[in-house]
Amino acid sequence: MLSISTIEARLEIASSRGWGTGAGEAQPPSIVADVEILLEVRLPLEYKEFLHHFGYLSVTNRYVCGVVSPDLLAQEAGNVVYETLNARETLGIPRHLVVISRDHDDHGYAICLDLRTVECEAPVVCWDPSAGRTTRWYKSFEQFLLEHLLDEADE
């Protein structure tokens, strides 16, 4: 289960330090179900909780994809549906990966949830388009949030 209070506390610390932080709106179960339908996947519980509480997150120049507008197919950075469908088409990522962050510079890496063994949590991997393979980065979505996005906001 995702530790919402820990994430909120770290966001408050980041904001108090003057870091640019942003969060979307809480998403109802119907929108989360629509995301699953459009991506043809079953999302892990941790990521669903994230969408239910935050929608999406950003801290300084790092972000976590989610629902950024009512139009789930909108071509907007940070839109999990757009980013994933776009990466499938342009980077050739497999269908069991869902993009949760993108490196839009020359490398084109995609940070993804690996949904091959989805239950409560899914490992976070980095898709390397030049190698055509993934490297495991974090054991869970929560670990990714706390160690990648909010690591410097730890007291």
Side-chain angles (χ1 to χ4, degrees), residues 9 15 28 31 39 52 65 71 83 90 115 139 145 150 155:
S15 181
I31 295 295
L39 296 178
H52 289 310
C65 294
D71 180 0
E83 294 283 11
T90 61
L115 304 182
K139 71 175 185 161
L145 284 176
L150 298 167
E155 290 185 291

Side-chain angles (χ1 to χ4, degrees), residues 10 14 17 47 54 61 75 79 84 98 106 112 125 129 145:
R10 295 233 189 134
R17 292 180 179 169
Y47 189 69
F54 300 105
N61 63 348
Q75 295 184 11
N79 175 348
T84 300
V98 171
D106 295 335
C112 306
V125 299
L145 284 176

Side-chain angles (χ1 to χ4, degrees), residues 32 35-37 39-45 47-48 88 95-96 98 113-120 122:
V32 175
V35 169
E36 290 181 310
I37 290 167
L39 296 178
E40 299 176 355
V41 298
R42 183 169 167 250
L43 296 171
L45 182 59
Y47 189 69
K48 288 180 183 183
R88 286 177 182 171
R95 299 185 75 72
H96 65 272
V98 171
L113 294 171
D114 186 341
L115 304 182
R116 284 181 286 194
T117 58
V118 172
E119 288 184 23
C120 179

